[in-house]
Amino acid sequence: MFEVPSVADLNVAASLPVTLLALGACVFLLVDLFIPQDRKYITAGLAAGGMLVALVLALLMWGDVIELRDGDTAFSELFIADTMTHVVNIVVLITGLLGVLVAYNYLERTKIQRGEYYYLILFTTTGVMLMGGANDLAVVFVALELLSIPLYILSGFRWPQEESEESAMKYFLLGAFASSFLVYGIALIYGATGTTSLPGIWEAVNDIVAEDAASKYLLLLGSGLALVGLGFKVAAVPFHMWTPDVYQGAPTSVVAYMSVAAKVGGFAALIRVLVAGMPNFVLDGETVAAWQDTVWLVAALTMLLGNIVAIAQTELKRLLAYSSIAHAGYILIAVAAAGTASVADEAVRAVMIYLMAYAFTNVGAFAVVIALEKDDATNTGLDSVRGLARTNPLLAAAMTVFMLSLTGIPLTSGFVGKWFVFKAALSADLVPVAVIGVVTSLVSAFYYLRVVWLMYFEDGESEASTPWPLASAIGISVAGTLLLGFVPYLLSEMTNDITLAFGG
Amino acid sequence: MGDISLVSLVFILPLLGVLALIFEPLFERQTNEQAIRWLTLGVSLGTFGLSLLMLNNFDTGVAGLQMEHKIDWIEADGFTIRYYVGVDGISVWMVMLTTFIMPLAILASFGPIQERVRLYYIFLLLMEWAMIGVFIAQDLFLFYVFWEVTLVPMYFLIGIWGAEERIYAAIKFFLYTMAGSLLMLLAVLWLGNEAGTFTLPEIIEQIQTGELSLGTTTERWLFLAFAIAFAIKVPMWPLHSWLPDAHVQAPTAGSVILAGILLKMGTYGFVRFNLPLFPEASKTFAPYIAGLAVIGIIYGAWVSYGQKDVKKLVAYSSISHLGFVMLGIFALNSTGIQGGILQGVNHGISTGGLFLMVGMLYDRRHTKLMAAFGGIWKAMPLFSGISLVIVLSSMGLPGLNGFVGEFTILLGSAGSEILSWWFTAFAALGIIMAAIYMLYMFNTVFMGELDKEENRNLPDLNWQELWSLIPIVVMVFVIGLQASIFFDLMDESAEALAAPYVANPNAEALVELNTGDVELAVALWAISGAVIGVVVTPIIYSGRGRNPWSGGLVGAAAGAAGNLLLLVPLWVYTPALEVDEHALPATSEAPGD
């Protein structure tokens, strides 16, 4: 029954960036043992170098410079290397690189410098990349665990400190719970369709819909449970409870990285499972996918709760946590829009564009928090930015750019993301959720602008330390945010031929 | 159209200025604030020079866009979003207004702004760049980008350099105006999706040829989404409440820009988007919008009169003046639109001047309360003389710019096929009320005895202040006496805009004027003047401890006489109209002149 495929048939080349990074992470794990404690910059450098190589590979594959001779699937069709895979790779690798840059000095001065940090980041990154290319529900699950488990550890990285331990514990318990939802969902989907392969599911769903078989209820339940599990990863309401506590307790450099990486992974999974696997799951008398209503309802709740609760926050990290919940809501709008067949490509592209835009901005915003944070992990309140414009004008200017981008003001990447998301929503006739989206954007303007006004309009003794890796990470983030804002062409070009349809 | 056009040059220069200011610290070891000021002034004057060149190149015979410049910007899902700019007879004046006001605002900041100088001028130039962008953008995406971007520098200008309540005012300004524009964002996306393009001229063409038909309900919704965004910006009553806060708290240059240019983005938006894109809905909603405009005229004037603070008085007077502009535009004929646009320019010039004036008073006395002044003429004769011209221009004295605009608007609305004469009659009341509050303010601040010790030794204007006011005074007279140069340029574009709304496009809208209506309106106008004189003047008088009855008589006489004076031009115009009517191509043989 089990046929062992030869290595030549595996078409490893298609998965080159992720395979290479996985191997690299394993090798660095060993190498780190021989690196003395006072020279951990070597580990950091190795990790960054590994990701840089993977990034270059991903870019080359995206640009078709590396041609795949044996098609774009690898490992007996478990893995697929299409445009979305490449884009996910590019986004998460950039995030990972920025994550290493912001981390090194922070770990050093808060005395938690350990080599594990860097390869845990590599493993998470590998998990996200694997998720981007998942072509089978089994891979989705493995990738999800690969990206989650290192993040649980990283959250507790400052372990004698209670907040950090609490953060890791909460994240782990709830995360494990969510994973079990996903597994159960996968099991039910398998029960309904008889396969875990996404193309196989797509075909099976076609039959189920055509025959109106009773297994559609099983499928409905399965996809719903999968949505719960993945909704947890992207911090969608009502599965968001962990987010503020984890973000507040975890070391800030971890948060900077995971707030983007986990989201990229979660949304890649949602797209693979829902949009690639069962866009054709249309119930009787409907014209759109069965999961669309649920997803947009979740999107609306997420935007409303995230933005409204964020207003009341006085802690910068918690504020950004709620803001990241809110942004999950905006991206979910596009996922919902993908449930309308004619809009699917446009919507998937909107998700990718939003994630790319969000990556630079959000890592940048957390990087500013890192610069402000004291060595004992205090001074992350809103007050910490008071009067920053006078004491450190460049940092204040950078934070302003990030806040404007998160608000969605034009000429920043955040606006481009929202533009594409709302456009997809209107194309799919999801007017109510688009209206909720713009109204909550307005709400968000208040708390983002409050950060700006504390920096510019009020006086205070704000202090910040910006060693060069952190400064360059912030610089790259600002440049990315503005560049993508002024030249959205880059984003639209990058995602130009994203298409997921099987058989269609 | 690949060649770079003058319009693009006008647009780019302020941005180059911003970049120069941002990177200025790299070239100088120590910040030289004077150099920054002059650099900014130079950039804004250069922009003004380029815009004059643009004006010179403008072809008055063309209704459509000129000096276009088109570059593809984003391509996605079969849509092309373009950097597409150009000017027509309407936007050209908006650009000119912007480039004219900015150097004055910059010059007027030389003295008062001594803190965070570089940041301040960066935001001013950023503001100029974004505002020019709004007026020249011909792509919905591009327009929306600049529309939103203008919020950011103004937020900082109010928030950093404003008065005591600046933070509240800044955030209110930002959120209030953003609320409107987000609805517009959805409308823009919707319209783009329906039309398959975001390029404005293409969409307008589709609508005119009937290729794109939105359906009544959709059209109305889209109209409202755009209209609310613009109405907040204008601001129209009852969406005006951000304005007094923002105007009063902003630094002088900020108020000048807000009142002078930013508000015109709203009226311009109505003309550029609502009229050509949604002809049916515009017709449906015109009476309501005109009604709100008239309420705004009366309300703004009424509230202005109640103010104790000069800056608040000027701020509320903007609501009243902008009501006129809106009334003109929604008269939906060429005369009204032209009057509206010109009045927009006029308001920019005279209210800009008023805010400069208030700023100069504030810099000397650090108060804006009218009660703190009195008899300023004796201390600062030069300043007071110039102020008188600006005040008279703002209240619409014949011979000065305000009169031309308001009178044209009233002619337009009286001749409107959609609005009844009531609108004109009530709007005319606004002119009288403007005279009351403006003269009351002038009287309290400048006339009378110099009875406050602190005011005795106020220095008269310094050279920066003088030179920021002189161009305004010059323009007040130029527009007042020679308005035809302005109308000539916008004639074709306004005709084209009004064409779908005028039953007989060959006939001047004025000809439709029913003489009976006019006489009634005129009578009402004169009587109302007298009534207001009788009622209001005693209140003023008694408030100042004089015999109210003599005041009432004087007021009634003055009000009625003033109104009769306003009739003279109407009589002068009316025969000309009747002649026009005969000269019109009623038959096929049209006399071409």
Side-chain angles (χ1 to χ4, degrees):
Chain A
M1 175 181 174
F2 285 108
E3 204 180 311
V4 180
S6 73
V7 178
D9 293 341
L10 288 180
N11 191 20
V12 181
S15 68
L16 203 53
V18 57
T19 321
L20 199 76
L21 201 66
L23 279 175
C26 296
V27 173
F28 296 155
L29 195 67
L30 295 175
V31 171
D32 182 58
L33 294 175
F34 302 101
I35 295 174
Q37 182 59 34
D38 56 343
R39 289 196 197 159
K40 287 299 175 198
Y41 54 85
I42 298 176
T43 316
L46 282 174
M51 284 193 279
L52 205 59
V53 171
L55 179 61
V56 171
L57 276 174
L59 281 169
L60 290 177
M61 288 178 76
W62 167 78
D64 282 335
V65 181
I66 298 179
E67 301 242 356
L68 300 174
R69 264 174 307 157
D70 304 321
D72 54 5
T73 55
F75 304 114
S76 316
E77 299 205 333
L78 288 176
F79 185 91
I80 183 166
D82 57 9
T83 311
M84 185 182 132
T85 314
H86 304 318
V87 175
V88 168
N89 286 351
I90 294 168
V91 176
V92 77
L93 285 168
I94 290 175
T95 313
L97 277 170
L98 292 174
V100 171
L101 280 177
V102 300
Y104 180 74
N105 294 88
Y106 177 78
L107 298 178
E108 197 70 48
R109 69 186 168 92
T110 52
K111 313 243 171 353
I112 48 173
Q113 181 73 273
R114 281 194 289 272
E116 292 91 327
Y117 189 93
Y118 303 103
Y119 47 79
L120 286 173
I121 285 207
L122 284 186
F123 279 123
T124 305
T125 309
T126 313
V128 177
M129 291 166 74
L130 202 53
M131 190 71 93
N135 204 27
D136 192 293
L137 289 180
V139 179
V140 168
F141 183 70
V142 171
L144 190 80
E145 291 302 295
L146 185 55
L147 89 84
S148 303
I149 293 171
L151 285 181
Y152 304 147
I153 307 173
L154 284 171
S155 307
F157 215 64
R158 199 188 334 235
W159 51 265
Q161 197 200 42
E162 277 174 22
E163 287 89 348
S164 187
E165 283 180 6
E166 179 199 334
S167 156
M169 200 62 192
K170 260 189 187 155
Y171 196 19
F172 172 66
L173 286 178
L174 288 171
F177 199 51
S179 291
S180 59
F181 270 98
L182 180 65
V183 178
Y184 198 21
I186 289 175
L188 291 179
I189 294 173
Y190 179 77
T193 60
T195 172
T196 56
S197 141
L198 288 171
I201 291 174
W202 188 85
E203 272 166 28
V205 170
N206 259 354
D207 293 342
I208 292 174
V209 171
E211 296 163 13
D212 198 22
S215 53
K216 69 180 178 183
Y217 298 110
L218 211 54
L219 191 61
L220 201 59
L221 197 59
S223 56
L225 289 173
L227 184 62
V228 172
L230 297 172
F232 173 87
K233 277 292 143 204
V234 302
V237 175
F239 321 113
H240 66 285
M241 305 292 185
W242 57 277
T243 319
D245 293 340
V246 172
Y247 278 26
Q248 192 182 10
T252 315
S253 63
V254 176
V255 184
Y257 170 75
M258 90 172 169
S259 66
V260 177
K263 234 177 211 83
V264 176
F267 278 108
L270 273 176
I271 290 175
R272 286 296 181 198
V273 175
L274 294 181
V275 187
M278 42 184 106
N280 45 356
F281 182 29
V282 180
L283 290 179
D284 256 1
E286 298 275 335
T287 53
V288 295
W291 41 265
Q292 187 180 57
D293 287 348
T294 318
V295 175
W296 84 248
L297 203 66
V298 171
L301 285 176
T302 310
M303 290 184 293
L304 284 170
L305 185 126
N307 282 312
I308 290 171
V309 179
I311 292 177
Q313 304 306 315
T314 54
E315 178 77 8
L316 206 47
K317 278 167 87 176
R318 284 186 87 87
L319 186 144
L320 287 173
Y322 280 104
S323 127
S324 95
I325 294 175
H327 283 277
Y330 294 114
I331 308 176
L332 276 171
I333 298 182
V335 177
T340 305
S342 57
V343 192
D345 290 350
E346 186 187 344
V348 170
R349 136 186 264 177
V351 173
M352 289 300 132
I353 287 177
Y354 204 107
L355 285 172
M356 185 79 211
Y358 181 71
F360 282 115
T361 308
N362 213 49
V363 175
F366 275 110
V368 174
V369 180
I370 292 176
L372 293 166
E373 190 172 327
K374 297 255 160 56
D375 294 353
D376 54 357
T378 57
N379 199 36
T380 56
L382 265 182
D383 279 342
S384 63
V385 296
R386 204 180 285 272
L388 190 65
R390 277 186 196 279
T391 52
N392 199 334
L394 284 178
L395 199 60
M399 191 63 166
T400 306
V401 171
F402 300 139
M403 290 298 122
L404 293 177
S405 177
L406 289 172
T407 316
I409 299 295
L411 298 183
T412 61
S413 60
F415 170 69
V416 181
K418 280 194 176 149
W419 170 274
F420 279 97
V421 162
F422 290 144
K423 186 166 174 299
L426 290 184
S427 298
D429 273 336
L430 294 173
V431 182
V433 74
V435 171
I436 294 176
V438 296
V439 170
T440 52
S441 293
L442 181 67
V443 174
S444 78
F446 176 76
Y447 60 84
Y448 292 129
L449 286 178
R450 190 168 53 179
V451 176
V452 176
W453 101 48
L454 286 171
M455 291 191 300
Y456 280 87
F457 305 168
E458 296 194 4
D459 291 324
E461 300 294 315
S462 188
E463 278 176 33
S465 74
T466 46
W468 73 262
L470 183 61
S472 58
I474 295 175
I476 293 169
S477 304
V478 171
T481 304
L482 290 179
L483 186 70
L484 298 182
F486 273 87
V487 196
Y489 179 76
L490 296 173
L491 285 169
S492 61
E493 190 64 21
M494 192 168 96
T495 53
N496 230 344
D497 36 51
I498 277 199
T499 173
L500 297 166
F502 294 122
Chain B
M1 298 292 168
D3 296 336
I4 194 155
S5 79
L6 263 175
V7 175
S8 278
L9 288 178
V10 172
F11 165 71
I12 288 168
L13 193 57
L15 188 64
L16 294 181
V18 172
L19 293 178
L21 287 177
I22 288 177
F23 293 111
E24 185 259 1
L26 298 181
F27 301 106
E28 285 187 283
R29 205 159 297 161
Q30 173 181 4
T31 313
N32 182 348
E33 295 184 343
Q34 209 57 26
I36 291 172
R37 294 190 180 104
W38 283 103
L39 176 69
T40 315
L41 185 65
V43 169
S44 67
L45 283 175
T47 314
F48 181 57
L50 278 175
S51 66
L52 281 178
L53 215 59
M54 174 188 81
L55 197 62
N56 189 39
N57 272 15
F58 193 86
D59 183 349
T60 51
V62 179
L65 294 171
Q66 304 187 24
M67 293 175 260
E68 293 155 284
H69 190 197
K70 208 191 266 189
I71 304 170
D72 288 357
W73 193 16
I74 313 167
E75 283 179 79
D77 312 316
F79 285 86
T80 307
I81 289 167
R82 299 190 174 90
Y83 166 81
Y84 180 17
V85 298
V87 287
D88 68 354
I90 287 160
S91 45
V92 72
W93 286 118
M94 293 293 124
V95 175
M96 287 311 295
L97 176 68
T98 312
T99 57
F100 172 77
I101 295 282
M102 284 311 292
L104 308 181
I106 289 166
L107 195 59
S109 311
F110 272 32
I113 303 298
Q114 298 294 344
E115 282 211 357
R116 303 206 228 180
V117 175
R118 192 163 66 97
L119 200 59
Y120 179 83
Y121 289 105
I122 287 176
F123 285 131
L124 276 191
L125 284 183
L126 207 56
M127 195 74 209
E128 175 167 22
W129 175 69
M131 290 187 300
I132 294 176
V134 166
F135 292 134
I136 62 175
Q138 303 298 339
D139 184 285
L140 290 172
F141 183 91
L142 193 67
F143 173 81
Y144 185 79
V145 163
F146 292 121
W147 177 271
E148 284 283 89
V149 165
T150 53
L151 295 179
V152 178
M154 192 43 89
Y155 173 71
F156 282 102
L157 284 173
I158 299 174
I160 300 181
W161 294 276
E164 306 78 34
E165 299 281 315
R166 59 198 156 77
I167 296 178
Y168 171 75
I171 196 86
K172 186 168 179 182
F173 162 78
F174 198 106
L175 292 182
Y176 213 125
T177 38
M178 192 178 167
S181 39
L182 282 171
L183 287 176
M184 183 170 76
L185 173 65
L186 288 187
V188 162
L189 285 166
W190 186 293
L191 197 62
N193 269 349
E194 293 281 314
T197 172
F198 286 102
T199 309
L200 185 61
E202 283 177 17
I203 301 178
I204 292 176
E205 198 189 313
Q206 285 184 20
I207 285 178
Q208 278 170 353
T209 57
E211 195 183 320
L212 172 66
S213 169
L214 294 166
T216 314
T217 323
T218 316
E219 189 184 338
R220 286 187 184 171
W221 277 111
L222 290 178
F223 177 92
L224 283 179
F226 275 97
I228 289 173
F230 298 143
I232 288 176
K233 204 77 163 189
V234 169
M236 292 188 72
W237 186 88
L239 300 172
H240 63 278
S241 76
W242 64 271
L243 178 135
D245 290 306
H247 279 51
V248 173
Q249 301 304 324
T252 301
S255 312
V256 171
I257 294 169
L258 267 171
I261 313 164
L262 216 65
L263 306 188
K264 305 319 171 318
M265 283 167 43
T267 55
Y268 172 79
F270 275 108
V271 176
R272 172 64 66 236
F273 294 92
N274 285 48
L275 295 194
L277 286 176
F278 316 112
E280 286 308 314
S282 295
K283 226 179 248 179
T284 316
F285 286 112
Y288 302 100
I289 293 186
L292 292 179
V294 172
I295 294 176
I297 292 174
I298 310 271
Y299 169 87
W302 192 272
V303 179
S304 283
Y305 179 70
Q307 300 305 318
K308 296 188 171 65
D309 179 312
V310 197
K311 206 167 181 180
K312 273 196 182 142
L313 183 144
V314 179
Y316 278 104
S317 83
S318 289
I319 299 175
S320 180
H321 285 134
L322 266 295
F324 274 103
V325 180
M326 290 308 299
L327 179 67
I329 291 170
F330 277 89
L332 295 181
N333 55 37
S334 168
T335 318
I337 293 172
Q338 295 194 36
I341 297 297
L342 185 69
Q343 182 60 12
V345 175
N346 289 335
H347 174 260
I349 290 170
S350 41
T351 306
L354 286 174
F355 274 120
L356 287 175
M357 200 186 97
V358 177
M360 289 164 194
L361 282 175
Y362 179 78
D363 292 338
R364 285 170 173 71
R365 286 280 282 105
H366 295 283
T367 176
K368 290 169 290 197
L369 291 179
M370 278 192 265
F373 300 100
I376 296 296
W377 193 298
K378 289 179 180 139
M380 305 168 64
L382 180 59
F383 173 65
S384 308
I386 292 178
S387 299
L388 180 60
V389 174
I390 298 173
V391 164
L392 292 177
S393 128
S394 178
M395 58 183 249
L397 189 80
L400 302 181
N401 63 347
F403 174 75
V404 184
E406 282 171 1
F407 191 72
T408 318
I409 288 170
L410 292 179
L411 280 180
S413 81
S416 169
E417 294 173 20
I418 288 155
L419 308 179
S420 78
W421 59 271
W422 280 104
F423 291 95
T424 318
F426 277 102
L429 273 179
I431 300 187
I432 301 154
M433 293 169 80
I436 294 173
Y437 65 78
M438 276 295 167
L439 287 179
Y440 166 65
M441 184 269 282
F442 192 80
N443 194 22
T444 328
V445 174
F446 293 93
M447 309 310 276
E449 285 307 309
L450 190 57
D451 49 6
K452 309 246 179 351
E453 195 51 45
E454 312 88 304
N455 293 340
R456 244 174 247 289
N457 295 317
L458 292 182
D460 212 333
L461 299 178
N462 63 28
W463 67 267
Q464 293 130 352
E465 294 171 331
L466 185 63
W467 280 104
S468 62
L469 288 174
I470 284 181
I472 286 181
V473 174
V474 171
M475 284 316 290
V476 162
F477 282 105
V478 169
I479 301 180
L481 300 172
Q482 203 46 264
S484 60
I485 35 177
F486 295 84
F487 288 130
D488 281 351
L489 257 70
M490 55 177 119
D491 210 25
E492 290 294 328
S493 303
E495 295 273 334
L497 271 172
Y501 303 103
V502 181
N504 178 3
N506 290 323
E508 274 288 317
L510 289 175
V511 182
E512 321 262 326
L513 208 67
N514 184 328
T515 28
D517 282 356
V518 177
E519 276 157 17
L520 197 60
V522 163
L524 199 81
W525 188 346
I527 295 166
S528 60
V531 170
I532 287 192
V534 171
V535 176
V536 173
T537 330
I539 301 174
I540 307 176
Y541 268 56
S542 59
R544 321 189 90 226
R546 298 188 197 161
N547 178 2
W549 295 112
S550 66
L553 289 178
V554 175
N563 285 339
L564 287 177
L565 203 69
L566 286 175
L567 293 183
V568 176
L570 195 62
W571 276 323
V572 175
Y573 276 81
T574 314
L577 297 178
E578 280 163 10
V579 173
D580 254 20
E581 189 170 21
H582 299 300
L584 273 169
T587 56
S588 59
E589 34 175 17
D593 60 338

